[in-house]
Amino acid sequence: MTVDARHAIHTSGPAKTAWQRGRLLALGSVLAAALLVGHEFVPNRWGNLGSLVQSFLPWLGLAVPLGILAALLRRSALAVLAVLLPLAAWIWVFLPQLLPVEDAQGDLTVVQHNVSDTNTDVDGTAEVLLAAEPDVVTLTEVSEDVAAQYTEAFGEALPHHETQGTVGIWSRFPLEDVQAVDIRPEGVDATWDRCLRVVIQREGAAVTLFATHLPSVRFGTGGFETELRNAGALQLAEAVDAEQGDTVIVAGDLNAVLADDAIAPLTNLVTAPATGFEFTYPTVFPVAQIDHVLARGATVTETRALRRTGSDHLPVVAYVDTPWS
């Protein structure tokens, strides 16, 4: 044996065991578990990192299969064991959403859809929405001309309709007390008009409905830029909170997941179904549910996504149990 060979053996040291390898992989699993359980403690002061984590929270579950694969490649027992932490954390956080939905559809069916201002297939889109047999349809990103086309396409199924700016409501029941709601963030041009309030009347009972479209979020130089959306959500929350009616429904493209604490002023006022993963955006590969039907003084028993239209969002149908029942 040469001197160089003996030196190499001496300096290499004893081989690491399966419990010594993969410490960085194990640390990654611990971090994923910590984010899942403690996501509300992630601050927004650095590029709205908290909102970013909460927006894609379910996808942290990918740390489990990826961690197992990496641990096997590294032949690390430590990393395999550590993967149990994000697995347990994911189950703890999302188990309620995995439970079966009770067969209680409610007495009011609401369909919400961001139809996209580039979607030219009005008839095809209307066909998908009407297949859910809605009592009410709320649409966002509809111009005045396109709104008239949807009115024609919905026909006698939804004879009552109101529009405001780029949002519209079509209903089986009469719509009363129609009001525009200003949710414009400070500094946004007055032509930005994205919220409509109506009262739905049926058999003497009333439900107040807000159809809305909050500002979009972007990735920019400031990180996850949500300031305009957050400001719009705050103004919408103030309008909902001021509403005197016992039953209120909020339907629209909120450009936010409900887990995002940045829109808590709104979500603290309303409730949503506790089950299901109904990702709605983008249609190419949906990764987040940003289209919602929420309620106060009523129960949204189930929300599910409908099949694809010409939009970059999937429509959602919600079954609402109102005081009417």
Side-chain angles (χ1 to χ4, degrees):
M1 181 179 295
T2 65
V3 174
D4 289 343
R6 289 196 301 269
H7 179 72
I9 293 174
H10 177 72
T11 56
S12 62
K16 291 183 177 180
T17 69
W19 292 102
Q20 293 173 321
R21 291 190 294 266
R23 291 177 179 176
L24 287 179
L25 292 176
L27 181 61
S29 291
V30 172
L31 177 61
L35 287 175
L36 279 162
V37 174
H39 58 86
E40 67 269 24
F41 299 110
V42 180
N44 269 328
R45 66 174 64 96
W46 302 301
N48 294 308
L49 182 60
S51 287
L52 180 61
V53 169
Q54 291 172 327
S55 295
F56 301 100
L57 195 63
W59 297 98
L60 285 176
L62 291 175
V64 176
L66 294 177
I68 292 175
L69 178 61
L72 293 176
L73 292 174
R74 189 71 176 86
R75 294 182 298 170
S76 170
L78 177 64
V80 170
L81 185 63
V83 164
L84 295 177
L85 292 175
L87 175 60
W90 196 95
I91 293 174
W92 174 266
V93 173
F94 293 109
L95 179 61
Q97 293 180 241
L98 301 177
L99 297 176
V101 178
E102 294 183 4
D103 187 18
Q105 292 193 336
D107 60 299
L108 184 69
T109 302
V110 180
V111 168
Q112 153 59 28
H113 191 25
N114 180 328
V115 294
S116 175
D117 53 13
T118 62
N119 177 11
T120 58
D121 185 15
V122 171
D123 289 337
T125 300
E127 181 181 356
V128 172
L129 305 185
L130 289 175
E133 300 182 350
D135 297 308
V136 181
V137 170
T138 65
L139 301 182
T140 62
E141 292 197 15
V142 285
S143 65
E144 184 176 349
D145 292 340
V146 174
Q149 295 177 48
Y150 278 106
T151 298
E152 182 177 356
F154 290 144
E156 295 182 359
L158 301 169
H160 308 280
H161 55 90
E162 296 287 346
T163 60
Q164 179 68 40
T166 57
V167 298
I169 298 171
W170 287 258
S171 172
R172 189 184 309 274
F173 309 112
L175 304 176
E176 300 178 357
D177 198 9
V178 180
Q179 299 177 18
V181 181
D182 188 0
I183 60 169
R184 287 179 301 129
E186 184 177 354
V188 174
D189 188 87
T191 58
W192 193 92
D193 194 0
R194 294 185 178 184
C195 192
L196 173 64
R197 171 205 177 274
V198 302
V199 175
I200 303 171
Q201 290 285 355
R202 190 182 82 170
E203 299 175 357
V207 169
T208 302
L209 171 66
F210 289 84
T212 188
H213 186 188
L214 295 183
S216 300
V217 298
R218 296 285 187 270
F219 288 98
T221 56
F224 193 46
E225 298 177 350
T226 65
E227 287 76 14
L228 292 179
R229 182 207 63 189
N230 297 349
L234 179 59
Q235 292 191 232
L236 177 59
E238 292 173 350
V240 172
D241 191 40
E243 185 59 48
Q244 298 298 312
D246 292 333
T247 305
V248 179
I249 295 174
V250 178
D253 175 3
L254 302 185
N255 275 304
V257 300
L258 299 184
D260 191 342
D261 289 335
I263 65 164
L266 174 62
T267 53
N268 287 342
L269 300 174
V270 290
T271 59
T275 58
F277 287 103
E278 298 299 326
F279 299 143
T280 62
Y281 182 83
T283 53
V284 175
F285 185 79
V287 297
Q289 182 179 357
I290 61 176
D291 304 273
H292 303 279
V293 178
L294 311 171
R296 185 191 81 189
T299 303
V300 183
T301 60
E302 180 186 1
T303 300
R304 59 181 175 84
L306 300 176
R307 65 184 176 90
R308 185 174 181 175
T309 67
S311 171
D312 55 346
H313 292 242
L314 291 177
V316 293
V317 57
Y319 303 105
V320 185
D321 187 16
T322 74
W324 287 334
S325 61

